[in-house]
Amino acid sequence: MLRDLPPIPRRIFLSYGLAMGCAASKVFAEPAASGLPPVNALSLLKKKLVDGESATLLIISDSTGYKESSGTRRFIRWLAAQFPSHHVTELYWAEWVTNAPTGPKNYGPPIEISKGTTKATLTVLNAVLPGAFAQAMMDGSRWTPMLAPLSGNAPDLILWNHGHNHQAAIGPKDYPYGRGTFLAPMGRIGLEFPHTPQAAILQNPWRDNDGYERVRDWWLWAAKAMPNLTLIDGYTPFMVQKRSADLFKDNVHPSDNGYELIFRQLTAAWETTTPQAEVPAVNWVNLPAQPLVANGDLADWTGDLPKNWRLIHGAAARKDHEHTFRGAPWSLALTGKTQNDGLQISITGDALARVRGKTVSFAVLCYVPHEAEQDIQVRFTTNSSDQVTGSIQFARDNWKWIVMAGCVVPAEASLAFVSIFRSFAKPPGETPFYIQKLVIVEGDSPRGGM
């Protein structure tokens, strides 16, 4: 069964008739009347193309965008046909070669889709990496090559096609981290391009079971945290056809017939979009924050440790002036001697009283060098509930977010705290991890305050 899902804001969702809160297999016979709003994340890209201007589309995708028959690659070719005046090229990520990531962490040679009749161009950066989480492209080894063709300019649309690989073996208590696996990379790229609108494809259900349902739930939650995120529904058309076997290659991947359904949703979204140059693109990282615990930004650091922070076990912390994010005076360099050495910041007093029986969300901005043997793990703990854990293992040598959205604080909680650990299989080495910011806020959605 689907759990208590957040409602889909009508202004962001191309509805195809799935009822919230019903069983995954139940679909209404008639599609809902609401659709995409006239102005959405696609409006800016469409405006430029309609006006004959050059434009750029950045797609960040998993294996369901890899084949030529995939919905996203069909959409690229369809766009080229709609705008024959534009010279259309696709830069296709070359890392995945013959069923393994053995190629370069970069784009291959440009693929010419159409020559065009003017000097106007449409450049599609197709950062597709099979088997990957959304945050894989945030890794420092991929981040710079992925963005290099932009030459410092912002793309006109960022389209996410991820979800199937986010099926980690986690239970409901860790769903705040599952939601964060989408919010974290969207927040990171939002720091780079704060005014670029973002859209995401709700991927197809699974053929044989309901394994995708919670991931879909996380995308809906992400849309609640980012009201300007446009969701394109590649899910419901499969349900309307009762997950017919001819729509699937296997339990997860669509067949060519299945990709056709996703392609139709993309073209329908485009055709209902009104071109417009000014498109709201509010990202959670840029929303003002009222932190439950002050000094998560390390600004007050006159003693051995920043105010309100404490060390756990054998950890050590020092100011670092080299690894900082965008002009911050310092970050916190964290080292340790044993597994789970780390830091802690507690929600106490009036702040705890304010959130008992409610939810909190938080985000950690951090940097892990590639030399580090471990990664960072973040935990939210109260005295009367199981701890919630999460991490982002797939981004080294780049500033990254670790996000938890909607952590429940039991009504009887007498303490609550967020811990940042050096964790996972190998003992800690001497390489520090760097923490720039921790923001804890009340509610289901994180706020970056940046």
Side-chain angles (χ1 to χ4, degrees):
M1 297 288 289
L2 292 175
R3 290 158 300 282
D4 293 331
L5 300 180
I8 307 176
R10 292 181 58 167
R11 64 188 180 279
I12 60 169
F13 190 63
L14 181 59
S15 178
Y16 215 87
L18 184 70
M20 296 299 91
C22 69
S25 60
K26 287 186 178 179
V27 181
F28 287 99
E30 296 182 3
S34 63
L36 276 182
V39 176
N40 57 69
L42 285 64
S43 291
L44 175 58
L45 177 64
K46 189 170 185 178
K47 171 69 171 173
K48 284 196 168 185
L49 295 178
V50 167
D51 289 352
E53 299 178 15
S54 295
T56 307
L57 166 62
L58 171 59
I59 301 173
I60 304 177
S61 177
D62 62 16
S63 61
T64 59
Y66 185 73
K67 296 174 61 177
E68 284 193 17
S69 59
S70 69
T72 50
R73 298 194 79 193
R74 292 187 195 193
F75 181 62
I76 294 169
R77 296 194 295 271
W78 181 84
L79 273 183
Q82 305 309 300
F83 299 96
S85 61
H86 284 69
H87 179 208
V88 181
T89 57
E90 177 190 12
L91 296 179
Y92 184 62
W93 196 254
E95 184 175 348
W96 191 265
V97 177
T98 317
N99 297 324
T102 54
K105 292 183 178 182
N106 209 331
Y107 300 103
I111 301 170
E112 184 176 80
I113 307 298
S114 61
K115 291 184 178 296
T117 57
T118 69
K119 293 183 178 180
T121 61
L122 169 59
T123 303
V124 181
L125 308 184
N126 195 355
V128 53
L129 182 60
F133 278 46
Q135 59 266 27
M137 299 306 292
M138 308 301 110
D139 187 272
S141 65
R142 299 184 180 100
W143 178 254
T144 298
M146 178 179 71
L147 301 183
L150 296 169
S151 301
N153 298 311
D156 300 298
L157 172 65
I158 299 166
L159 176 62
W160 297 90
N161 179 37
H162 270 282
H164 290 310
N165 296 313
H166 288 238
Q167 282 290 351
I170 62 177
K173 74 179 180 66
D174 289 320
Y175 286 177
Y177 161 59
R179 301 159 193 152
T181 60
F182 297 126
L183 288 167
M186 285 194 294
R188 180 62 185 92
I189 208 161
L191 286 176
E192 202 72 19
F193 305 117
H195 304 298
T196 298
Q198 300 190 41
I201 298 171
L202 284 180
Q203 295 178 326
N204 57 278
W206 290 5
R207 182 189 64 194
D208 303 329
N209 53 56
D210 293 335
Y212 180 73
E213 303 312 310
R214 62 182 176 182
V215 179
R216 177 177 172 275
D217 180 356
W218 300 342
W219 268 123
L220 298 179
W221 201 287
K224 188 168 66 170
M226 292 176 53
N228 300 125
L229 175 68
T230 296
L231 294 181
I232 298 169
D233 187 10
Y235 172 94
T236 306
F238 287 77
M239 301 298 287
V240 168
Q241 298 195 28
K242 302 184 185 301
R243 293 189 274 194
S244 175
D246 72 302
L247 301 177
F248 293 87
K249 178 183 177 182
D250 51 37
N251 185 39
V252 175
H253 294 84
S255 64
D256 288 353
N257 289 339
Y259 282 131
E260 175 69 17
L261 295 182
I262 297 170
F263 164 67
R264 290 178 187 174
Q265 291 296 86
L266 286 164
T267 58
W270 184 268
E271 289 176 339
T272 59
T273 293
T274 297
Q276 185 161 309
E278 298 296 325
V279 179
V282 177
N283 196 296
W284 67 265
V285 297
N286 303 120
L287 293 174
Q290 294 181 329
L292 288 169
V293 184
N295 203 41
D297 60 359
L298 313 174
D300 187 350
W301 193 343
T302 55
D304 293 336
L305 286 172
K307 185 179 179 180
N308 296 333
W309 293 78
R310 73 181 186 90
L311 295 175
I312 304 172
H313 306 306
R318 61 171 175 81
K319 286 182 181 178
D320 184 89
H321 301 278
E322 180 179 357
H323 300 84
T324 61
F325 186 77
R326 293 187 180 171
W330 52 68
S331 65
L332 185 152
L334 174 66
T335 55
K337 299 179 180 179
T338 63
Q339 180 97 328
N340 292 334
D341 288 349
L343 295 158
Q344 191 175 95
I345 191 165
S346 298
I347 306 171
T348 59
D350 292 342
L352 180 59
R354 173 177 152 191
V355 296
R356 284 194 186 102
K358 301 179 181 178
T359 60
V360 299
S361 299
F362 57 89
V364 179
L365 182 59
C366 55
Y367 184 103
V368 180
H370 74 273
E371 301 91 351
E373 294 288 347
Q374 294 184 309
D375 212 286
I376 286 179
Q377 185 179 66
V378 178
R379 298 178 188 169
F380 175 71
T381 306
T382 73
N383 64 306
S384 54
S385 67
D386 292 338
Q387 65 186 18
V388 179
T389 61
S391 65
I392 301 294
Q393 300 183 56
F394 305 99
R396 302 292 181 101
D397 282 347
N398 190 9
W399 287 100
K400 64 182 180 181
W401 289 102
I402 300 176
V403 175
M404 300 234 194
C407 297
V408 176
V409 182
E412 68 276 12
S414 60
L415 59 87
F417 51 88
V418 175
S419 306
I420 304 171
F421 291 97
R422 300 169 59 89
S423 190
F424 298 110
K426 297 182 180 180
E430 296 182 356
T431 303
F433 298 166
Y434 302 93
I435 311 299
Q436 188 66 73
K437 191 171 189 178
L438 165 60
V439 186
I440 311 171
V441 297
E442 179 183 350
D444 292 338
S445 306
R447 299 285 190 273
M450 301 190 73

